[in-house]
Each structure stands twice: as structure tokens, then as C-alpha cells.
């Protein structure tokens, strides 16, 4: 098999802290192995506009600690069409790009799958999303930073909840999944955690609040995943049915920003370098990941046929801690 000489890297979908560390790892490990590297700006949208430029070691200097992505990112409707995918494949071939590293979430991996069906470009996905909902890896780049950011916010809110004897309903991101809510709820000592994967009962939530109030606990934190319900709706329900002072807080995009944690930087560096290594060894249509502390690679289609599930025992544990 002919060795590859030129690869490209892009970030796609929602930004996640650590994406820059991963871009840096892809670029520097590729240069180390004697490859040419291009950066594609604004994900698949930028590919279709030929926003492609050479990357050097210097162009990724001083970014390991920066949140967001220096390549920018976007969600592309055009790339979801067969014409868009064909155009993308044609542009990559015209630029002589033989390998493409896509850092992003499940939508971005799907884009990679479509591209791999009609093009000879070797595709290597790297999971990067705060939602951590991609199968084939225990952790996606950005999740650790996001949960620590959300946790810091929850810890701060708890001070006010305690001082004013209030109930706070805090909504976190996660799209259709409850990974963020479960982790920050458990770490933040939330009295209740509502996630989309497990049916919840607002009447039971009321009982729990009444019981804890009777025991002398006059403040509570309820963490809700955006995919389960809206914090505002839960607040309204609680206000209608209890005498407690309830506030709703949506953490929103602040969870996506900020300097990546050490964990995310190391993960991003390992996954970026491993993606290049797999391309060099001739692998294609894969997504790299980390499972049980070991670097792994799964066929990229795996993310379409498998669903990553939350550990519901963590929910039970959180309930146990809330008695
Ligand atoms: O996928 C990351 C994520 O932050 C989700 O948690 C959230 O539902 C979504 O992106 C928000 O997307 P946007 O930034 O386009 O509003």
C-alpha cells in the first residue's frame, strides 16, 4: 500500500475544550512523521468553501491551554446532502489530501462515514463533544472540562441555596443524553438528578423534597439534563405544589468554554497522535478512543449502530446519598 503524504484536520459540530490540544497533536505528530498537514476551517462547511490551509508547528503553538477551536467549527446542512458529500470528496482529492482527521461529535462522525463511502480519503474520527455520548470511547474530548465547569457553578449556587433556604433547579447540557447531568449531579451532591434515559416522576420529587424538609434540610439542588426537561418547567411545578422558594438556572454554553483540564489535554494529545498513527499504518474509516485507559480504534460505522448508555447505578448512588 502506498504510504500517505498529505493529511488534513478539521473540527466540526459543537466546540469542546481540548479540541485545540488535539489539533496540535495531529499537526505535530504528522510533521514528526514527515507528513504535510492542512487545516480545514469551519468543518464540513469550510471544506465545501475550500477553506484549506497548510499548518506548521508554529501555527499550533500556544494553543494547548485554549478552549474552543482555532480552526473554528460549524454545522453544515449542505454536507448532509449527497451532492455536498460528493463536492467535499472532489475538493479533498483536488488538494491531494489522502487522510482526514475529523474531531467532533456524532454528527461529524456521520459526515466521515458518508465521505468514506464515496472517496478514497482515509478517514479517522476523534471524539470531541462535551456530551460524551459517542460509543467506542469512555471519554470524548471536552467532557471532563465541561463537567468541572458545571460543577464549579453548582458549588457556587449551593452557597446561595443554603443561605436563602431555596431549591435550585439547574439545567445542564448533554443534548439527548444524561452523561453530564449524572456526573455533575453525583459530584455536586444533588438531591435529585433527572436524565432522559430514566423516567422520572415529579410527584416522587415532591415527596423527596418534603421528606428532606421535615428532616431539617432546607435547601436542595436538582440537576436536570436538557434532554429530560426544562429547569423552568420543573421550577413552575414545584412552586405550584410547595411553599419553597424555587429558582431555575440554565448553565448553557458556559459549559462548552474555558481552558481544558489536564485530563482533556492529555486525552486530546493521545487521541490526536494515535489518529495519525492509525492513518500511517494504513487504517481508514475508524474512530479512535480510550477504553479502560487503553487507546482503541473502532470502525466509524460503529457509532451509528451502537448506543452509549449511562451507568444507572450512579443515579441510584446519588439517590442513596440524598437521604
Ligand atoms: O453537542 C454539544 C451541545 O453543547 C449540546 O450539549 C447542546 O444540546 C448543543 O450542543 C447546543 O448546540 P448549539 O451550540 O448549536 O446551540
Amino acid at each position: 500500500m502506498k504510504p500517505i503524504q498529505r493529511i488534513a484536520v478539521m473540527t466540526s459540530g459543537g466546540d469542546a475544550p481540548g479540541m485545540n490540544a488535539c489539533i496540535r497533536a495531529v499537526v505535530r505528530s504528522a510533521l514528526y512523521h514527515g507528513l504535510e498537514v492542512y487545516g480545514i476551517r469551519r468543518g464540513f462547511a469550510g471544506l465545501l468553501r475550500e477553506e484549506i490551509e497548510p499548518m506548521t508547528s508554529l501555527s499550533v503553538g500556544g494553543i494547548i491551554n485554549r478552549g474552543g477551536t482555532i480552526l473554528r467549527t460549524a454545522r453544515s446542512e449542505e454536507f448532509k446532502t449527497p451532492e455536498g458529500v460528493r463536492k467535499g470528496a472532489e475538493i479533498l482529492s483536488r488538494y491531494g489530501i489522502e487522510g482526514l482527521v475529523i474531531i467532533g461529535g456524532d454528527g461529524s462522525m456521520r459526515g466521515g462515514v458518508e465521505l468514506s463511502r464515496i472517496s478514497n480519503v482515509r478517514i479517522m474520527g476523534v471524539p470531541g463533544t462535551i456530551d460524551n455520548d459517542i460509543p467506542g470511547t469512555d471519554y470524548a474530548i471536552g467532557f471532563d472540562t465541561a463537567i468541572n465547569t458545571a460543577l464549579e457553578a453548582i458549588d457556587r449556587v449551593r452557597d446561595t441555596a443554603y443561605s436563602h433556604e431555596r431549591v435550585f433547579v439547574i439545567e445542564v447540557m448533554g443534548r439527548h443524553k444524561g452523561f453530564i447531568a449524572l456526573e455533575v449531579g453525583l459530584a455536586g451532591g444533588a438531591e435529585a438528578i433527572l436524565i432522559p434515559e430514566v423516567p422520572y416522576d415529579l410527584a416522587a420529587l415532591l415527596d423527596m423534597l418534603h421528606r428532606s424538609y421535615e428532616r431539617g434540610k432546607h435547601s436542595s439542588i436538582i440537576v436536570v439534563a436538557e434532554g429530560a426537561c426544562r429547569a423552568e418547567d420543573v421550577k413552575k411545578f414545584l412552586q405550584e405544589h410547595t411553599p419553597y422558594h424555587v429558582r431555575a438556572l440554565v448553565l448553557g454554553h458556559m459549559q462548552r468554554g474555558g481552558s481544558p483540564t489536564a485530563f482533556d489535554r492529555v486525552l486530546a494529545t493521545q487521541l490526536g497522535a494515535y489518529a495519525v498513527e492509525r492513518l500511517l499504518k494504513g487504517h481508514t474509516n475508524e474512530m479512535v478512543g480510550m477504553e479502560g485507559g487503553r487507546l482503541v480504534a473502532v470502525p466509524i460505522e460503529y457509532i451509528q449502530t451502537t448506543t452509549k448508555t449511562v451507568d444507572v447505578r450512579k443515579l441510584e448512588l446519588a439517590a442513596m446519598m440524598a437521604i
Side-chain angles (χ1 to χ4, degrees), residues 75 129-131 173-175 226 253 256:
R75 305 190 202 271
T129 166
I130 64 162
D131 302 337
M173 280 187 164
R175 205 177 282 271
E226 63 174 350
H253 286 82
R256 286 227 305 250

Side-chain angles (χ1 to χ4, degrees), residues 127 132 137-141 143-144 183 263 267 271 289-290 308:
N132 203 31
T137 188
D138 292 340
Y139 295 105
I141 296 166
F143 176 65
D144 186 66
E183 219 66 13
F263 180 90
L267 177 72
L271 293 183
M290 182 73 78
K308 187 169 179 177

Side-chain angles (χ1 to χ4, degrees), residues 40 49-51 111 118 202 208 219 242 268 286-287 306 312:
I40 301 176
R49 291 194 298 261
E50 299 189 35
E51 295 184 41
I118 59 154
L202 289 180
M208 187 278 291
S219 65
T242 70
E286 288 182 344
M287 186 195 78
T306 319
V312 286

Side-chain angles (χ1 to χ4, degrees), residues 47 49 107-108 110 142 147 178 196 205 221 247 257 287 321:
L47 169 64
R49 291 194 298 261
S108 313
R110 269 189 210 111
I147 58 174
L205 183 65
I221 299 283
R247 295 286 187 274
M287 186 195 78
M321 295 299 114

Side-chain angles (χ1 to χ4, degrees), residues 250-261:
V250 179
L251 295 187
H253 286 82
M254 60 98 79
Q255 293 160 96
R256 286 227 305 250
S259 183
T261 57

